Amino acid sequence: MREILDDIDRWQKSGKRIAVARVVKIEGSGPRDPGAAMAVNEDGEVAGSVSGGCVEGAVVGEALSIIHEGSPGRMVSFGYSDDEAFAVGLTCGGTIRLFIEPLTW
Amino acid sequence: MTLFDRFRDLVRAETPVALATVIDGPQVGAKLLVVRTGETESVEGSLGHPDLDRVVARDTAGELEAGRTGVRHYGPEGQATPEDLVDTPTVSVFIESFSPPPQMWIFGAVDFTAALGRVAKVLGYRVTVCDAREVFATKRRFPMADEVVVSWPAPMFERRGGTLGPRDAVCILTHDPKFDVPAVQGALATKVGYIGVMGSRKTHAKRLERLAEVGVTSPADLARLMSPIGLDLGGRTPEETAVAICAEIIARRTGHSASSLKNTDGSIHS
């Protein structure tokens, strides 16, 4: 989270609504440890990352819908399994669990 | 000031803090911030129930102490074994520790120091360069360093050795016995996780003699010294040497073999 604070400051100063996604759990192989964080503003601008680029695109979509729904936040998981081979996943075969929430605290 | 403002300022000031967030349960998004100042902890925010707050604050302080980040589960009133609660919703809490960055102390204001300081910054270390020679130990020569200290090793360790712990590193690059020997002695008296000492195999052998003269002979102490410093990558430049040193520091911390993954089996990330 440390590395995205400057971007968050800038966005807050210009009055942008923001959501923050954090890795809370990794099962199997995963590129980033729990605590890896990414912020998305209402214009879809991004700071930080939560994987090696595998799921960031999908996280932006989830973050924007959380901003627009006024949701208190929710868990989102990404990973491969046999029956969802075309879903967004990690090429390393692990599962990544994220908590995405609006920055309203 | 919001809780986020407070959290942001503390993280920027490198104060140890841990943030607990409800990620599943009745009050998703509720937060508790545990702040350590000196030996005491203070708690700000709430997860919605005083008993839950008390139990989570206690666990969060423990996680912060250990520098750990992860998910814990509770009953809605802080029960520690939610699996015993039938038909009661449980609360999942993500506890994230923000510890100050690890330290690297580099002794000796030489060319290798600048390269090592740069690589250490990439890895997130707080870099301190220390040398007794005022003309060499300047911020202008080591702009990447967070701090440049003009001092002999012994007083530096006496003053601040107590701040070094298992995540930290001491790299002694002087290859001058009158500086090396007290630096090694000082480092061995701390809990620092990595002690590397630069020099050829010949320098290393001579250094061991000098250390024996001052009473550093215990096998446990000598086993802590990574000397000659660094992995055997075959590089020569200061930058290549810096990578060899930092790679060794990482491998020592993780306990991994530092071989090519192609030649090993097993999990990559554990």
Side-chain angles (χ1 to χ4, degrees), chain B residues 204-267:
Chain B
H204 170 67
K206 276 196 203 137
R207 186 185 298 124
L208 287 181
E209 288 169 23
R210 301 270 193 152
L211 286 168
E213 285 166 19
V214 298
V216 178
T217 51
S218 103
D221 278 349
L222 295 176
R224 285 179 72 194
L225 298 185
M226 301 310 289
S227 172
I229 195 170
L231 292 185
D232 182 8
L233 300 183
R236 291 198 68 93
T237 65
E239 290 72 20
E240 287 172 342
T241 306
V243 169
I245 294 169
C246 288
E248 180 173 72
I249 293 173
I250 297 167
R252 293 279 295 174
R253 192 193 69 220
T254 60
H256 279 223
S257 67
S259 312
S260 288
L261 289 165
K262 179 185 168 75
N263 301 328
T264 60
D265 293 319
S267 170

Side-chain angles (χ1 to χ4, degrees), chain B residues 103 105 155-165 186 189-192:
Chain B
Q103 306 187 65
W105 290 9
M156 179 72 181
F157 280 104
E158 273 159 36
R159 271 200 318 276
R160 291 166 53 181
T163 66
L164 293 170
T190 70
K191 294 192 178 127
V192 74

Side-chain angles (χ1 to χ4, degrees), chain A residues 1-2 5-6 8-9 12 22-25 28-31 34-37 72-75 92 99 101-103 105, chain B residues 2-5 7-8 11-12 14 19 21-24 28-29 31 69-71 94 96 98-101 268-269:
Chain A
M1 191 103 97
R2 207 187 295 272
L5 292 176
D6 288 349
I8 288 176
D9 271 358
Q12 283 188 325
R22 284 182 286 165
V23 176
V24 302
K25 203 166 182 200
S29 199
R74 63 171 170 259
M75 293 290 298
C92 49
F99 181 66
E101 63 181 331
L103 184 48
W105 48 284
Chain B
T2 63
L3 191 64
F4 175 77
D5 292 338
F7 160 79
R8 179 198 57 206
V11 169
R12 284 216 171 112
E14 296 183 358
L19 183 65
T21 306
V22 175
I23 58 172
D24 193 19
V28 168
K31 288 189 171 60
T69 287
V71 178
F94 177 55
E96 188 175 1
F98 296 83
S99 304
I268 294 173
H269 287 121

Side-chain angles (χ1 to χ4, degrees), chain B residues 97-117:
Chain B
S97 296
F98 296 83
S99 304
Q103 306 187 65
M104 181 185 288
W105 290 9
I106 310 175
F107 287 92
V110 296
D111 278 357
F112 289 96
T113 309
L116 179 56

